Amino acid sequence: MKNVPHISDAEWEVMKILWAKTPCTANEVIEALEGQTDWKPNTIRTLLNRLAQKQAISYSQKNRVYAYFPLVSEDECVKSETKSFLKRIYGGAFKPLLVNFLKEEQLSPEDIKELKNILDDKTE
């Protein structure tokens, strides 16, 4: 897996917009986040700039309009965040995370069946 930059919670919201529809102008990102956040347009532009500096996104410019697009996939970011969380909270050990999850979560019969299938596939 390539080196994926750390993305803050706020930056993650911007990335979700870009993963869903790309490329997007800053105004399109602002419109998409309008109903979800109370952020000012300048805040969103700052987040876009930070993401570009981190090389999580890039842009193309036509006239005076910038169109932003992701350089890292959602899947890559999810995997990176999962590994980071596992390392920070559980010292990199997966079993305590799984045990804690299974004790705390209400699982439907379908969830249990899917988990069993995943575990069975791992043993083959």
Side-chain angles (χ1 to χ4, degrees):
M1 179 169 53
K2 69 181 178 183
N3 193 19
V4 178
H6 174 72
I7 297 172
S8 72
D9 291 346
E11 292 165 344
W12 195 272
E13 294 304 312
V14 173
M15 290 299 294
K16 286 195 292 189
I17 302 302
L18 294 175
W19 286 321
K21 177 186 178 279
T22 194
C24 279
T25 65
N27 286 338
E28 289 172 325
V29 175
I30 290 165
E31 283 179 29
L33 290 171
E34 220 169 26
Q36 300 175 29
T37 68
D38 60 353
W39 297 338
K40 304 283 188 233
N42 281 344
T43 301
I44 296 169
R45 285 187 175 88
T46 298
L47 292 169
L48 286 166
N49 287 333
R50 283 186 195 161
L51 287 164
Q53 289 171 353
K54 292 179 177 185
Q55 298 182 338
I57 66 172
S58 190
Y59 57 87
S60 60
Q61 182 182 3
K62 188 172 183 177
N63 299 324
R64 292 171 44 160
V65 177
Y66 292 85
Y68 296 91
F69 54 90
L71 293 176
V72 291
S73 71
E74 185 173 12
D75 187 52
E76 289 171 319
C77 289
V78 167
K79 286 178 183 177
S80 178
E81 285 297 316
T82 301
K83 286 183 179 185
S84 174
F85 173 79
L86 195 60
K87 187 175 180 180
R88 263 191 345 269
I89 306 301
Y90 293 98
F94 178 72
K95 185 177 175 184
L97 168 72
L98 185 59
V99 169
N100 188 48
F101 171 77
L102 292 172
K103 285 182 180 178
E104 297 299 320
E105 291 299 314
Q106 294 291 330
L107 299 174
S108 70
E110 294 83 24
D111 292 336
I112 293 169
K113 183 178 179 182
E114 185 176 352
L115 285 170
K116 283 181 179 178
N117 288 338
I118 292 169
L119 290 171
D120 286 344
D121 288 346
K122 282 290 209 184
T123 59
E124 292 177 0

mmCIF file of all heavy atoms in Angstrom, residues 95-107 111-112 115 119:
data_model
loop_
_atom_site.group_PDB
_atom_site.id
_atom_site.type_symbol
_atom_site.label_atom_id
_atom_site.label_comp_id
_atom_site.label_asym_id
_atom_site.label_seq_id
_atom_site.Cartn_x
_atom_site.Cartn_y
_atom_site.Cartn_z
ATOM 1 N N LYS A 95 -6.996 -9.238 17.542
ATOM 2 C CA LYS A 95 -7.892 -10.068 18.347
ATOM 3 C C LYS A 95 -8.613 -9.274 19.443
ATOM 4 O O LYS A 95 -9.833 -9.414 19.585
ATOM 5 C CB LYS A 95 -7.119 -11.251 18.951
ATOM 6 C CG LYS A 95 -8.017 -12.220 19.702
ATOM 7 C CD LYS A 95 -7.225 -13.404 20.214
ATOM 8 C CE LYS A 95 -8.094 -14.300 21.059
ATOM 9 N NZ LYS A 95 -7.318 -15.403 21.630
ATOM 10 N N PRO A 96 -7.928 -8.420 20.248
ATOM 11 C CA PRO A 96 -8.661 -7.665 21.270
ATOM 12 C C PRO A 96 -9.730 -6.747 20.672
ATOM 13 O O PRO A 96 -10.794 -6.573 21.254
ATOM 14 C CB PRO A 96 -7.579 -6.837 21.967
ATOM 15 C CG PRO A 96 -6.296 -7.495 21.638
ATOM 16 C CD PRO A 96 -6.487 -8.192 20.330
ATOM 17 N N LEU A 97 -9.461 -6.185 19.497
ATOM 18 C CA LEU A 97 -10.462 -5.344 18.832
ATOM 19 C C LEU A 97 -11.688 -6.175 18.490
ATOM 20 O O LEU A 97 -12.816 -5.784 18.776
ATOM 21 C CB LEU A 97 -9.876 -4.726 17.558
ATOM 22 C CG LEU A 97 -10.887 -4.073 16.617
ATOM 23 C CD1 LEU A 97 -11.401 -2.772 17.211
ATOM 24 C CD2 LEU A 97 -10.285 -3.842 15.251
ATOM 25 N N LEU A 98 -11.463 -7.325 17.891
ATOM 26 C CA LEU A 98 -12.567 -8.186 17.486
ATOM 27 C C LEU A 98 -13.366 -8.670 18.685
ATOM 28 O O LEU A 98 -14.604 -8.643 18.677
ATOM 29 C CB LEU A 98 -12.040 -9.378 16.675
ATOM 30 C CG LEU A 98 -13.087 -10.310 16.090
ATOM 31 C CD1 LEU A 98 -14.022 -9.564 15.157
ATOM 32 C CD2 LEU A 98 -12.419 -11.466 15.359
ATOM 33 N N VAL A 99 -12.668 -9.082 19.742
ATOM 34 C CA VAL A 99 -13.350 -9.550 20.952
ATOM 35 C C VAL A 99 -14.205 -8.427 21.539
ATOM 36 O O VAL A 99 -15.373 -8.632 21.891
ATOM 37 C CB VAL A 99 -12.330 -10.082 21.989
ATOM 38 C CG1 VAL A 99 -12.987 -10.306 23.340
ATOM 39 C CG2 VAL A 99 -11.698 -11.375 21.477
ATOM 40 N N ASN A 100 -13.647 -7.221 21.636
ATOM 41 C CA ASN A 100 -14.391 -6.081 22.171
ATOM 42 C C ASN A 100 -15.608 -5.776 21.308
ATOM 43 O O ASN A 100 -16.707 -5.547 21.815
ATOM 44 C CB ASN A 100 -13.482 -4.851 22.265
ATOM 45 C CG ASN A 100 -14.138 -3.708 22.986
ATOM 46 O OD1 ASN A 100 -14.703 -3.875 24.060
ATOM 47 N ND2 ASN A 100 -14.066 -2.546 22.385
ATOM 48 N N PHE A 101 -15.419 -5.792 20.012
ATOM 49 C CA PHE A 101 -16.515 -5.533 19.088
ATOM 50 C C PHE A 101 -17.631 -6.564 19.262
ATOM 51 O O PHE A 101 -18.807 -6.218 19.350
ATOM 52 C CB PHE A 101 -15.990 -5.556 17.645
ATOM 53 C CG PHE A 101 -17.067 -5.502 16.604
ATOM 54 C CD1 PHE A 101 -17.698 -4.307 16.306
ATOM 55 C CD2 PHE A 101 -17.453 -6.654 15.928
ATOM 56 C CE1 PHE A 101 -18.701 -4.261 15.343
ATOM 57 C CE2 PHE A 101 -18.448 -6.614 14.972
ATOM 58 C CZ PHE A 101 -19.075 -5.414 14.677
ATOM 59 N N LEU A 102 -17.259 -7.838 19.317
ATOM 60 C CA LEU A 102 -18.261 -8.893 19.418
ATOM 61 C C LEU A 102 -19.029 -8.848 20.737
ATOM 62 O O LEU A 102 -20.211 -9.163 20.785
ATOM 63 C CB LEU A 102 -17.607 -10.266 19.225
ATOM 64 C CG LEU A 102 -17.085 -10.541 17.809
ATOM 65 C CD1 LEU A 102 -16.300 -11.839 17.777
ATOM 66 C CD2 LEU A 102 -18.206 -10.550 16.792
ATOM 67 N N LYS A 103 -18.354 -8.420 21.808
ATOM 68 C CA LYS A 103 -19.023 -8.312 23.105
ATOM 69 C C LYS A 103 -19.989 -7.138 23.151
ATOM 70 O O LYS A 103 -21.030 -7.203 23.788
ATOM 71 C CB LYS A 103 -17.989 -8.158 24.221
ATOM 72 C CG LYS A 103 -17.271 -9.426 24.572
ATOM 73 C CD LYS A 103 -16.297 -9.187 25.716
ATOM 74 C CE LYS A 103 -15.559 -10.443 26.095
ATOM 75 N NZ LYS A 103 -14.579 -10.202 27.172
ATOM 76 N N GLU A 104 -19.641 -6.047 22.484
ATOM 77 C CA GLU A 104 -20.398 -4.808 22.605
ATOM 78 C C GLU A 104 -21.505 -4.625 21.577
ATOM 79 O O GLU A 104 -22.468 -3.924 21.837
ATOM 80 C CB GLU A 104 -19.447 -3.599 22.526
ATOM 81 C CG GLU A 104 -18.442 -3.538 23.646
ATOM 82 C CD GLU A 104 -19.075 -3.424 25.024
ATOM 83 O OE1 GLU A 104 -20.078 -2.692 25.170
ATOM 84 O OE2 GLU A 104 -18.574 -4.086 25.949
ATOM 85 N N GLU A 105 -21.375 -5.212 20.422
ATOM 86 C CA GLU A 105 -22.317 -4.970 19.333
ATOM 87 C C GLU A 105 -23.422 -6.013 19.289
ATOM 88 O O GLU A 105 -23.205 -7.178 19.587
ATOM 89 C CB GLU A 105 -21.581 -4.968 17.981
ATOM 90 C CG GLU A 105 -20.666 -3.794 17.795
ATOM 91 C CD GLU A 105 -21.384 -2.459 17.826
ATOM 92 O OE1 GLU A 105 -22.443 -2.305 17.180
ATOM 93 O OE2 GLU A 105 -20.882 -1.553 18.518
ATOM 94 N N GLN A 106 -24.602 -5.551 18.903
ATOM 95 C CA GLN A 106 -25.710 -6.462 18.645
ATOM 96 C C GLN A 106 -25.590 -6.917 17.195
ATOM 97 O O GLN A 106 -25.605 -6.102 16.282
ATOM 98 C CB GLN A 106 -27.054 -5.741 18.838
ATOM 99 C CG GLN A 106 -27.332 -5.329 20.258
ATOM 100 C CD GLN A 106 -27.571 -6.539 21.159
ATOM 101 O OE1 GLN A 106 -28.059 -7.577 20.707
ATOM 102 N NE2 GLN A 106 -27.227 -6.398 22.413
ATOM 103 N N LEU A 107 -25.428 -8.205 16.991
ATOM 104 C CA LEU A 107 -25.262 -8.742 15.651
ATOM 105 C C LEU A 107 -26.501 -9.515 15.234
ATOM 106 O O LEU A 107 -27.038 -10.321 16.005
ATOM 107 C CB LEU A 107 -24.042 -9.669 15.582
ATOM 108 C CG LEU A 107 -22.693 -9.038 15.905
ATOM 109 C CD1 LEU A 107 -21.610 -10.097 15.934
ATOM 110 C CD2 LEU A 107 -22.357 -7.971 14.881
ATOM 111 N N ASP A 111 -25.459 -10.956 10.084
ATOM 112 C CA ASP A 111 -24.113 -10.477 10.406
ATOM 113 C C ASP A 111 -23.228 -11.629 10.866
ATOM 114 O O ASP A 111 -22.073 -11.743 10.444
ATOM 115 C CB ASP A 111 -24.151 -9.412 11.518
ATOM 116 C CG ASP A 111 -24.802 -8.120 11.082
ATOM 117 O OD1 ASP A 111 -24.828 -7.827 9.870
ATOM 118 O OD2 ASP A 111 -25.285 -7.387 11.983
ATOM 119 N N ILE A 112 -23.768 -12.473 11.737
ATOM 120 C CA ILE A 112 -23.012 -13.605 12.263
ATOM 121 C C ILE A 112 -22.644 -14.571 11.142
ATOM 122 O O ILE A 112 -21.507 -15.038 11.050
ATOM 123 C CB ILE A 112 -23.811 -14.313 13.383
ATOM 124 C CG1 ILE A 112 -23.929 -13.381 14.603
ATOM 125 C CG2 ILE A 112 -23.163 -15.640 13.770
ATOM 126 C CD1 ILE A 112 -24.898 -13.852 15.657
ATOM 127 N N LEU A 115 -19.843 -13.021 9.097
ATOM 128 C CA LEU A 115 -18.570 -13.110 9.821
ATOM 129 C C LEU A 115 -18.011 -14.532 9.776
ATOM 130 O O LEU A 115 -16.808 -14.728 9.585
ATOM 131 C CB LEU A 115 -18.735 -12.645 11.264
ATOM 132 C CG LEU A 115 -18.866 -11.144 11.473
ATOM 133 C CD1 LEU A 115 -19.272 -10.835 12.912
ATOM 134 C CD2 LEU A 115 -17.579 -10.438 11.111
ATOM 135 N N LEU A 119 -14.429 -15.707 8.160
ATOM 136 C CA LEU A 119 -13.447 -16.486 8.912
ATOM 137 C C LEU A 119 -13.165 -17.831 8.241
ATOM 138 O O LEU A 119 -12.012 -18.270 8.198
ATOM 139 C CB LEU A 119 -13.924 -16.703 10.350
ATOM 140 C CG LEU A 119 -13.934 -15.443 11.235
ATOM 141 C CD1 LEU A 119 -14.623 -15.720 12.559
ATOM 142 C CD2 LEU A 119 -12.526 -14.919 11.445
#
